[in-house]
Amino acid sequence: MSYYPDDDYPDYDDDSDLIDGVGFADPGGNSALRAATASNPRNCPCPNCEEPNRLTPIDVARGYQCDACADRAERGYD
């Protein structure tokens, strides 16, 4: 629920806007990865660095890489 009912800002505490039924792993942060849940466990390797348990099945389906690889790519280190 928003503190300002007439404002145009999203209510970040409202779970009705979940993507694929799952929220972000780091809401408000820099990560696009989804939160790990019982139905979406973080049990998949990163396709770039191949480190295990970096992504959830939803992350893999969306073609994501782990945060460390994404940070390196975005900063031009790859």
Side-chain angles (χ1 to χ4, degrees):
M1 174 176 201
S2 176
Y3 292 107
Y4 306 101
D6 295 327
D7 68 12
D8 292 328
Y9 297 102
D11 184 358
Y12 294 109
D13 294 326
D14 183 5
D15 287 340
S16 65
D17 293 329
L18 298 178
I19 299 171
D20 300 322
V22 178
F24 289 102
D26 183 19
N30 294 327
S31 179
L33 299 181
R34 299 296 178 252
T37 64
S39 61
N40 188 48
R42 191 166 308 286
N43 62 357
C44 302
C46 173
N48 293 334
C49 67
E50 300 179 358
E51 285 291 322
N53 304 320
R54 293 289 178 117
L55 305 176
T56 67
I58 291 175
D59 298 327
V60 171
R62 291 179 168 266
Y64 291 162
Q65 58 192 344
C66 73
D67 286 336
C69 287
D71 289 344
R72 281 192 300 276
E74 289 170 2
R75 290 177 174 87
Y77 298 132
D78 273 348

